[in-house]
Amino acid sequence: MVDHMLEPPRAVRRLEVITGAGGRRRWSADEKTRILEEAMAPGAVVSEVARRNGMSPQHLFTWRRQAKREADNHPLAFTPVVVSPDTPQPNPAAGREAIIEIVVEGVVIRVPPGVDGATLARVLHALKSLR
């Protein structure tokens, strides 16, 4: 009887096999935002968040640094908000959804429900640059 068990000449190390398409992984803007929010939450451990999302901690630290730099270049500004009572409509539509109206220096922007936040941010940024 022949023993088919061979002793390795050195200690066995972990080997990871990556299958599928190679190359760089790409995250959508929504995924990147979600991961950044998770990593910047109070008490979050960045390396754990990175591993949970299949990326290196260094990559996520770079994203955080870029996000902080961008926030420093474009600081948030607070704008007073005036809430006006609903004006009666001649023919109120049943089940009508609320619309947000933003009025800046005579310009009215009506924001319907479900609008993409990135699109709204670009519109507001463009409006701000006209001032």
Side-chain angles (χ1 to χ4, degrees):
M1 175 167 215
V2 177
D3 185 11
H4 295 289
M5 194 90 161
L6 300 175
E7 292 295 322
R10 55 189 156 84
V12 177
R13 295 188 210 166
R14 179 178 166 200
L15 175 67
E16 186 173 345
V17 178
I18 300 173
T19 61
R24 295 178 180 227
R25 180 170 174 196
R26 300 203 188 276
W27 286 267
S28 70
D30 291 338
E31 287 176 312
K32 188 173 180 178
T33 300
R34 180 191 55 77
I35 294 169
L36 276 171
E37 286 174 352
E38 186 179 346
M40 291 182 166
V45 178
V46 175
S47 58
E48 289 177 5
V49 173
R51 285 188 198 101
R52 217 176 8 256
N53 289 285
M55 61 190 305
S56 72
Q58 294 84 351
H59 193 163
L60 185 51
F61 276 112
T62 300
W63 281 6
R64 283 174 41 123
R65 187 173 47 255
Q66 289 170 344
K68 287 178 183 177
R69 188 177 310 129
E70 188 174 318
D72 290 342
N73 292 338
H74 304 288
L76 296 177
F78 289 97
T79 304
V81 174
V82 178
V83 178
S84 62
D86 290 335
T87 57
Q89 300 293 325
N91 295 322
R96 196 172 101 188
E97 294 181 337
I99 294 178
I100 299 172
E101 286 189 1
I102 302 170
V103 181
V104 179
E105 296 182 10
V107 176
V108 179
I109 300 171
R110 290 183 179 86
V111 183
V115 71
D116 177 39
T119 302
L120 180 59
R122 284 194 298 270
V123 169
L124 293 174
H125 183 68
L127 180 63
K128 183 179 176 183
S129 67
L130 294 176
R131 291 175 45 186

